[in-house]
Amino acid sequence: MAGGWAKDGAVSEQIEASIGDELARLKARRQPVGESFTHCAECEEPIPEARRKAVPGVKLCVDCVSERDARVQQRGGINRRASKDSQLK
Ligand SMILES: [Zn+2]
Protein backbone atom coordinates (compact mmCIF):
# COMPACT_ATOMS: atom_id res chain seq x y z
CA MET A 1 0.00 0.00 0.00
CA ALA A 2 1.27 3.44 -0.86
CA GLY A 3 1.56 5.74 2.12
CA GLY A 4 1.20 8.76 -0.10
CA TRP A 5 4.01 10.76 1.53
CA ALA A 6 6.96 9.15 -0.23
CA LYS A 7 7.65 6.64 -2.97
CA ASP A 8 9.37 3.41 -1.96
CA GLY A 9 12.31 4.38 -4.14
CA ALA A 10 12.67 7.71 -2.40
CA VAL A 11 12.78 6.06 1.01
CA SER A 12 15.50 3.56 0.11
CA GLU A 13 17.45 6.36 -1.57
CA GLN A 14 17.31 8.30 1.68
CA ILE A 15 18.48 5.27 3.65
CA GLU A 16 21.33 4.60 1.24
CA ALA A 17 22.37 8.24 1.40
CA SER A 18 22.45 8.24 5.18
CA ILE A 19 24.45 5.00 5.25
CA GLY A 20 26.90 6.56 2.81
CA ASP A 21 27.16 9.63 5.03
CA GLU A 22 27.80 7.44 8.04
CA LEU A 23 30.52 5.45 6.29
CA ALA A 24 32.18 8.62 5.07
CA ARG A 25 32.07 10.03 8.57
CA LEU A 26 33.50 6.84 10.07
CA LYS A 27 36.30 6.81 7.50
CA ALA A 28 37.08 10.46 8.09
CA ARG A 29 37.12 9.85 11.81
CA ARG A 30 39.26 6.74 11.55
CA GLN A 31 42.07 8.30 9.57
CA PRO A 32 43.34 10.80 12.14
CA VAL A 33 42.79 8.23 14.91
CA GLY A 34 44.92 5.62 13.08
CA GLU A 35 47.91 5.26 15.35
CA SER A 36 47.56 3.47 18.63
CA PHE A 37 49.38 4.98 21.56
CA THR A 38 52.14 2.89 23.09
CA HIS A 39 51.47 4.57 26.43
CA CYS A 40 48.21 5.64 28.04
CA ALA A 41 47.33 9.27 27.40
CA GLU A 42 46.11 9.67 30.97
CA CYS A 43 48.38 7.70 33.28
CA GLU A 44 51.27 6.98 30.87
CA GLU A 45 51.19 3.27 31.67
CA PRO A 46 52.39 1.18 28.72
CA ILE A 47 49.50 -0.21 26.68
CA PRO A 48 49.97 -3.93 25.87
CA GLU A 49 50.53 -4.62 22.18
CA ALA A 50 47.58 -7.05 22.13
CA ARG A 51 45.30 -4.24 23.24
CA ARG A 52 46.75 -1.85 20.68
CA LYS A 53 46.03 -4.40 17.96
CA ALA A 54 42.54 -5.18 19.27
CA VAL A 55 41.57 -1.50 19.59
CA PRO A 56 42.86 0.51 16.62
CA GLY A 57 43.76 4.03 17.65
CA VAL A 58 43.62 3.15 21.34
CA LYS A 59 44.66 6.07 23.52
CA LEU A 60 44.00 4.83 27.03
CA CYS A 61 44.99 1.77 29.07
CA VAL A 62 42.32 -0.66 30.28
CA ASP A 63 42.25 0.94 33.74
CA CYS A 64 41.63 4.44 32.44
CA VAL A 65 39.01 3.26 29.94
CA SER A 66 37.06 1.34 32.58
CA GLU A 67 37.36 4.32 34.91
CA ARG A 68 35.98 6.57 32.20
CA ASP A 69 33.22 4.07 31.37
CA ALA A 70 32.29 3.91 35.04
CA ARG A 71 32.02 7.67 35.13
CA VAL A 72 29.81 7.68 32.03
CA GLN A 73 27.63 4.92 33.48
CA GLN A 74 27.30 6.80 36.74
CA ARG A 75 26.12 9.87 34.92
CA GLY A 76 23.70 7.84 32.81
CA GLY A 77 22.63 5.76 35.79
CA ILE A 78 21.33 8.67 37.85
CA ASN A 79 18.26 9.06 35.67
CA ARG A 80 17.72 5.33 35.49
CA ARG A 81 17.87 5.02 39.27
CA ALA A 82 15.61 8.03 39.74
CA SER A 83 12.94 6.61 37.46
CA LYS A 84 13.22 3.23 39.19
CA ASP A 85 12.77 4.91 42.57
CA SER A 86 9.72 6.77 41.38
CA GLN A 87 8.25 3.49 40.15
CA LEU A 88 8.80 1.88 43.54
CA LYS A 89 7.15 4.67 45.46
ZN1 LIG B 1 45.86 4.73 31.91
Side-chain angles (χ1 to χ4, degrees), residues 34-87:
E35 298 264 314
S36 300
F37 282 19
T38 54
H39 292 74
C40 176
E42 283 206 6
C43 69
E44 296 185 350
E45 282 290 312
I47 299 172
E49 198 181 341
R51 174 164 170 74
R52 288 192 281 130
K53 277 186 186 158
V55 188
V58 66
K59 302 276 188 283
L60 300 173
C61 71
V62 179
D63 283 351
C64 288
V65 164
S66 56
E67 215 174 275
R68 199 179 55 176
D69 284 356
R71 254 180 277 152
V72 170
Q73 274 168 16
Q74 263 174 13
R75 226 180 289 143
I78 292 167
N79 284 337
R80 240 178 286 147
R81 224 172 291 140
S83 61
K84 206 179 182 186
D85 280 350
S86 65
Q87 275 181 341

Side-chain angles (χ1 to χ4, degrees), residues 23-40:
L23 285 177
R25 229 176 295 146
L26 285 175
K27 257 187 219 166
R29 208 186 297 158
R30 191 172 298 170
Q31 269 164 359
V33 172
E35 298 264 314
S36 300
F37 282 19
T38 54
H39 292 74
C40 176

